[in-house]
Amino acid sequence: MTTIAAPVQTPTIPGTPFAGGFYVGRFQIDGQQYALIVSPKTAGTLTGKWGEFGQDVPGARSYNDGRANTLAMAEAGSELAQQALALNINGLDDWYIPSRDELELCYRYLKPTAGENYCSFRDGDNASSLPVGYPYTEDTPAQTPAEAFRDGGAEAFNPRWYWASTQFSPDYAWGQTFDDGYQNVDHKDYQCRARAVRRELVL
């Protein structure tokens, strides 16, 4: 049975232990505010294909609702999504693969490296985040001040590509690199990392 969380007070500092994982930031879905929580690295990091190349998953097109995307992926046969939904971490079982905008929040607030950001057309653009996220500059966002999430830290994202749960087309899905923040799409049948997240209603 899936645990349904009641509204709770949330931290304000990214990387703070909270609600089974670590607080990332705030975002919205249909006007409702949520706190995004990233899973502990060891327990919540998965590797696999997003799905099958050429298979359309209409329910996985949301840019902000990663849980809805992940449920649709799992129903379509994605083993990666099924693994995420099966996670039980610190007594909580509502983990999922982040959407494009949720994954961007993880990079923006928990960037592991001190290097320059990739600044192409719209990298970092995030209409779902609170406050709204604007495209990256070379220096913004900076490396996270959360020590555990800095490069080499126990909770740090690897400076590699991570899947988002947002489908781009029957062949491609969104993802992001955590060395410079580059956002793009990749073949769904590539083996890549994903890191589970969950969310809490904000009072």
Side-chain angles (χ1 to χ4, degrees):
M1 179 181 295
T2 298
T3 303
I4 300 176
V8 294
Q9 293 288 349
T10 61
T12 58
I13 300 174
T16 301
F18 175 64
F22 301 90
Y23 175 71
V24 179
R26 294 189 182 196
F27 69 106
Q28 60 181 340
I29 301 174
D30 297 329
Q32 174 63 61
Q33 293 189 30
Y34 292 92
L36 183 66
I37 298 106
V38 67
S39 59
K41 182 175 183 176
T42 300
T45 299
L46 307 168
T47 303
K49 301 188 301 182
W50 192 98
E52 295 303 319
F53 186 81
Q55 181 184 18
D56 189 22
V57 185
R61 294 173 180 164
S62 176
Y63 277 63
N64 57 10
D65 192 345
R67 182 156 183 83
N69 290 342
T70 305
L71 288 167
M73 290 170 63
E75 185 175 350
S78 168
E79 293 183 3
L80 185 67
Q82 292 165 4
Q83 291 172 31
L85 294 173
L87 290 172
N88 189 314
I89 303 172
N90 293 324
L92 296 166
D93 61 359
D94 54 353
W95 302 94
Y96 58 89
I97 300 170
S99 65
R100 177 195 179 276
D101 288 356
E102 290 171 299
L103 186 63
E104 191 283 318
L105 271 183
C106 292
Y107 180 80
R108 182 178 294 271
Y109 291 119
L110 297 173
K111 177 187 172 183
T113 70
E116 292 182 351
N117 300 302
Y118 190 89
C119 304
S120 66
F121 180 55
R122 301 297 292 178
D123 293 280
D125 183 33
N126 191 336
S128 306
S129 69
L130 296 170
V132 169
Y134 292 97
Y136 302 145
T137 67
E138 290 182 353
D139 300 323
T140 304
Q143 184 181 35
T144 179
E147 289 291 339
F149 283 88
R150 289 189 166 206
D151 198 16
E155 299 298 336
F157 282 82
N158 293 85
R160 297 289 186 271
W161 179 268
Y162 282 82
W163 280 126
S165 58
T166 304
Q167 174 180 275
F168 177 76
S169 73
D171 298 337
Y172 296 94
W174 281 97
Q176 186 164 11
T177 60
F178 273 69
D179 55 350
D180 60 7
Y182 176 61
Q183 293 180 289
N184 207 334
V185 298
D186 213 337
H187 286 207
K188 289 180 175 180
D189 56 356
Y190 283 176
Q191 294 278 335
C192 300
R193 291 178 177 82
R195 187 155 172 184
V197 299
R198 59 182 301 273
R199 66 195 186 209
E200 292 273 4
L201 285 169
V202 173
L203 290 173

